[in-house]
């Protein structure tokens, strides 16, 4: 493991050196190379043309996952530059890992000129997570004990101690952890249709394979986890406990008037997606139909230097039955972020515990002020430094097996004589109604050519039931 880390570190340094030293060149009729003539737009930005390669190290941090290390390459084609900063093609390859045990292997391509009046998006990845967080179903209906640790031992007998709070030993993080490996493939096509240049329809095909199970981190073998309790009580069914396959067919209506894709400063993006998931692979009866809607609005306050941006996302089950492992996924047509999980963490409601809010349906809000405090040119690239203070909120809007959740403790007591607990320390059901989960924070962005964005954000949950510590996320891109 240490050798692989050293190899990735060396590779990252070499990639950074290459990226900083690379220059754009074009070939003349004699096949000799010369520097491109610099052309600027009305904003004083250097117009990029043709192919641009950006090999870079992946160095980041996520409070939920640890430090990130690895390498990636961004490949852009700006064509003749007439669309700049919009691109014709973009491809990205990333190989990275986190120190807490997660691994990301991903490729995606975003193609605007491959088909006439169309956008084709292809995404494929394999993601391993040894510390996948599981806090139960239905938000605040599931209790959260911040210091809960090894209150059970599988090798002896199953007990829930009267006062779990003082237990802060070496197993303190095991109770809310499980293991998840996920393979994901997504292909989406967006095409214009007759209402105007901002109106589109979308078609999508996605496939997910989920490998779920007990946490495999060191010293967790004999610790009873919340995942175990859900399986024992029947809240997680036997035919879904180890994961399964989900195939999705998507039909979407889209309105998109954003002026930029990665760094928009004005316009609206609206997407309404109907996702059908026929269970023709596993045959466990988990066919379902999902409706997902996204509204993003970018309001300029001071030209392109100060923008108020907000996003509203909602998703609900329209028909059928969904397996628990598929509820974590947000079924948008295009995946801008590495993770598609909702809700909680860097991908949705920043600052609250990852996967804290899980249900058949949910909704969340992100609102932030984007302020470009500095703009300059460096190594033939256009750069901006920006701040983005933000507020996030979300909640479960459609519960999942809630009535069973209320009765699960009684079922456990009947099935396991040694299992005991009372309503004051019920590990499954808190007795609380679901409410709004909120957080606030601020971010710093380093933006290159309006398409490549290095991001650092810090956020804190405003309710201790969602986590008490400040969360820090260092990675790429705006959240939306």
């Amino acid at each position: 493991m240490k050798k692989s880390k050293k190899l990735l570190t060396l590779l990252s340094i070499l990639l950074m050196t290459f990226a900083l030293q690379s220059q754009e060149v074009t070939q003349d009729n004699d096949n000799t190379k010369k520097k491109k003539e610099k052309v600027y737009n009305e904003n004083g930005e250097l117009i990029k043309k043709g192919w641009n390669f950006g090999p870079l190290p992946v160095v980041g941090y996520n409070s939920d996952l640890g430090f990130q290390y690895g390498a990636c390459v961004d490949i852009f084609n700006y064509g003749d530059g007439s669309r700049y900063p919009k691109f014709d093609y973009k491809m990205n390859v990333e190989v990275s890992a986190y120190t807490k045990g997660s691994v990301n292997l991903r490729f995606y391509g975003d193609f605007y000129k491959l088909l006439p009046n169309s956008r084709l998006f292809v995404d494929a990845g394999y993601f391993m997570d040894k510390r996948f967080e599981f806090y139960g179903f239905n938000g605040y209906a599931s209790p959260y004990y911040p210091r809960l640790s090894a209150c059970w031992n599988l090798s002896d007998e199953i007990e829930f101690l009267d006062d779990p709070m003082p237990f802060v030993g070496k197993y303190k993080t095991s109770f809310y952890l499980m293991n998840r490996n996920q393979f994901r493939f997504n292909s989406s096509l967006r095409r214009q249709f007759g209402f105007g240049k901002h109106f589109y329809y979308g078609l999508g095909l996605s496939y997910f394979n989920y490998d779920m199970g007990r946490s495999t981190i060191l010293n967790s073998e004999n610790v009873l986890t919340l995942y175990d309790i859900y399986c024992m009580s029947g809240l997680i069914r036997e035919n879904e406990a180890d994961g399964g396959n989900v195939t999705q067919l998507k039909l979407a209506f889209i309105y998109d008037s954003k002026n930029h894709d990665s760094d928009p400063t004005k316009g609206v993006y609206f997407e309404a997606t109907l996702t059908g998931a026929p269970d023709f692979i596993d045959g466990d009866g988990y066919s379902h139909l999902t409706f997902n809607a996204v509204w993003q609005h970018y309001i300029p306050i001071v030209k392109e230097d100060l923008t108020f941006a907000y996003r509203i996302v909602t998703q609900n089950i329209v028909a059928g039955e969904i397996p628990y492992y598929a509820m974590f996924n947000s079924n948008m047509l295009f995946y801008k972020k590495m993770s598609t999980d909702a809700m909680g963490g860097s991908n949705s409601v920043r600052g609250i515990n990852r996967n804290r809010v899980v249900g058949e349906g949910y909704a969340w809000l992100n609102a932030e002020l984007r302020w470009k405090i500095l703009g300059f040119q460096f190594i033939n690239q256009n750069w901006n430094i920006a701040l983005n203070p933000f507020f996030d909120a979300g909640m479960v809007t459609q519960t999942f097996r809630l009535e069973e959740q209320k009765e699960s403790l009684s079922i456990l007591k009947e099935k396991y004589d040694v299992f005991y607990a009372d309503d004051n320390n019920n590990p499954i059901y808190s007795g609380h109604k679901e409410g709004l989960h909120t957080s606030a924070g601020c971010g710093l962005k380093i933006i290159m050519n309006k398409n490549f964005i290095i991001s650092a954000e810090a956020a804190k949950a405003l309710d201790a039931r969602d986590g008490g510590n400040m969360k820090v996320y260092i990675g790429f891109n705006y959240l939306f």
Side-chain angles (χ1 to χ4, degrees):
M1 183 67 179
K2 290 183 179 179
K3 289 183 178 179
S4 63
K5 287 185 178 180
K6 289 180 180 179
L7 181 61
L8 283 171
T9 301
L10 178 60
L11 178 61
S12 298
I13 294 171
L14 291 174
L15 287 171
M16 175 63 85
T17 303
F18 176 76
L20 291 176
Q21 291 180 347
S22 63
Q23 298 181 17
E24 298 175 88
V25 294
T26 119
Q27 198 167 38
D28 61 17
N29 293 331
D30 296 324
N31 293 322
T32 60
K33 293 182 178 179
K34 62 181 180 180
K35 291 184 179 178
K36 287 183 177 178
E37 180 182 355
K38 295 180 180 179
V39 180
Y40 298 86
N41 62 18
E42 64 275 9
N43 297 322
E45 297 172 326
L46 180 64
I47 293 177
K48 313 296 290 184
K49 298 180 181 181
W51 291 98
N52 285 252
F53 296 82
L56 288 169
V58 174
V59 180
Y61 178 77
N62 186 310
S63 293
D64 299 317
L65 304 173
F67 287 96
Q68 185 183 22
Y69 57 94
C72 75
V73 58
D74 266 325
I75 304 172
F76 289 93
N77 187 303
Y78 293 100
D80 60 7
S82 59
R83 288 165 39 86
Y84 181 83
K86 294 182 178 181
F87 52 83
D88 292 351
Y89 308 104
K90 177 184 178 180
M91 289 172 282
N92 175 277
V93 179
E94 179 175 325
V95 179
S96 65
Y98 286 92
T99 53
K100 290 185 179 181
S102 298
V103 176
N104 301 323
L105 307 171
R106 187 197 186 197
F107 163 84
Y108 75 84
D110 203 354
F111 309 105
Y112 281 87
K113 291 292 187 178
L114 196 61
L115 298 172
N117 299 318
S118 300
R119 176 188 181 187
L120 177 65
F121 183 86
V122 179
D123 171 270
Y126 187 70
F127 311 97
M128 294 175 281
D129 195 343
K130 295 180 180 180
R131 301 174 64 91
F132 189 74
E133 295 173 56
F134 178 67
Y135 294 96
F137 302 153
N138 304 313
Y140 287 140
S142 294
Y144 170 57
Y145 300 108
R147 300 171 65 189
L148 186 60
S149 64
C151 295
W152 299 274
N153 192 316
L154 288 176
S155 62
D156 298 320
E157 61 182 12
I158 303 170
E159 293 183 353
F160 191 88
L161 303 184
D162 290 336
D163 182 11
M165 301 301 287
F167 288 78
V168 290
K170 61 183 178 180
Y171 300 120
K172 68 178 181 179
T173 61
S174 300
F175 181 69
Y176 292 114
L177 296 182
M178 60 183 296
N179 188 82
R180 186 186 77 170
N181 297 328
Q182 179 196 74
F183 171 79
R184 180 182 80 211
F185 172 80
N186 177 62
S187 179
S188 303
L189 177 67
R190 187 183 80 174
R191 291 181 66 91
Q192 281 185 317
F193 68 103
F195 295 117
K197 67 176 183 177
H198 298 309
F199 292 89
Y200 307 85
Y201 69 88
L203 302 172
L205 171 65
S206 299
Y207 168 74
F208 297 84
N209 175 266
Y210 296 93
D211 179 12
M212 315 291 286
R214 304 191 74 257
S215 173
T216 58
I217 63 173
L218 187 64
N219 296 324
S220 66
E221 296 86 354
N222 294 323
V223 176
L224 194 68
T225 67
L226 185 63
Y227 166 76
D228 294 319
I229 294 174
Y230 267 61
C231 291
M232 292 160 56
S233 68
L235 269 175
I236 292 179
R237 314 290 195 237
E238 185 176 351
N239 63 0
E240 63 181 345
D242 297 330
N245 299 280
V246 178
T247 303
Q248 297 179 336
L249 304 172
K250 300 178 182 180
L251 176 64
F253 169 80
I254 301 166
Y255 176 84
D256 186 0
S257 64
K258 303 191 313 296
N259 60 339
H260 304 303
D261 188 58
S262 299
D263 181 26
T265 56
K266 63 180 179 180
V268 168
Y269 181 85
F270 172 73
E271 176 187 319
T273 304
L274 197 63
T275 302
D279 184 18
F280 57 77
I281 297 180
D282 297 331
D284 292 326
Y286 291 119
S287 297
H288 55 279
L289 185 66
T290 304
F291 176 75
N292 178 283
V294 182
W295 173 270
Q296 299 172 190
H297 193 186
Y298 307 90
I299 304 171
I301 299 174
V302 181
K303 297 182 179 179
E304 294 199 353
D305 293 330
L306 186 63
T307 304
F308 175 68
Y310 69 94
R311 176 176 71 164
I312 300 172
V313 180
T314 183
Q315 181 167 302
N316 286 275
I317 299 297
V318 178
E321 185 177 359
I322 187 172
Y324 86 97
Y325 52 80
M327 290 194 303
F328 297 101
N329 190 61
S330 181
N331 297 324
M332 299 177 188
L333 194 64
F334 298 99
Y335 295 147
K336 187 174 181 179
K337 287 286 190 176
M338 178 79 71
S339 171
T340 62
D341 293 332
M343 178 170 40
S346 62
N347 196 45
S348 53
V349 182
R350 294 159 286 189
I352 74 172
N353 288 336
R354 187 170 60 132
N355 305 324
R356 176 66 176 106
V357 187
V358 176
E360 281 196 359
Y362 52 79
W364 82 74
L365 163 75
N366 308 112
E368 58 186 50
L369 198 63
R370 299 178 178 179
W371 177 29
K372 291 186 174 69
I373 58 176
L374 180 64
F376 58 94
Q377 292 179 2
F378 175 60
I379 56 171
N380 288 330
Q381 314 292 337
N382 303 302
W383 300 82
N384 288 103
I385 308 296
L387 296 174
N388 63 307
F390 57 81
F391 171 82
D392 296 341
M395 66 181 295
V396 170
T397 58
Q398 187 178 10
T399 60
F400 181 73
R401 301 174 185 171
L402 179 60
E403 295 306 315
E404 295 181 41
Q405 186 177 1
K406 295 178 180 179
E407 302 299 324
S408 291
L409 183 60
S410 299
I411 295 173
L412 283 171
K413 288 179 179 179
E414 292 177 4
K415 290 177 65 176
Y416 304 95
D417 293 336
V418 295
F419 192 98
Y420 66 91
D422 56 38
D423 291 338
N424 294 324
N425 58 14
N426 186 332
I428 305 174
Y429 181 63
S430 67
H432 298 157
K433 292 183 178 180
E434 173 64 327
L436 205 59
H437 304 253
T438 57
S439 66
C442 188
L444 173 69
K445 301 291 188 286
I446 301 175
I447 305 166
M448 184 182 76
N449 298 327
K450 296 188 181 295
N451 288 312
F452 180 79
I453 302 171
I454 299 173
S455 170
E457 294 181 329
K460 191 176 189 303
L462 301 182
D463 190 312
R465 291 177 293 176
D466 293 320
N469 298 324
M470 178 75 73
K471 303 275 190 176
V472 176
Y473 314 107
I474 300 175
F476 299 101
N477 297 319
Y478 279 106
L479 180 60
F480 61 96

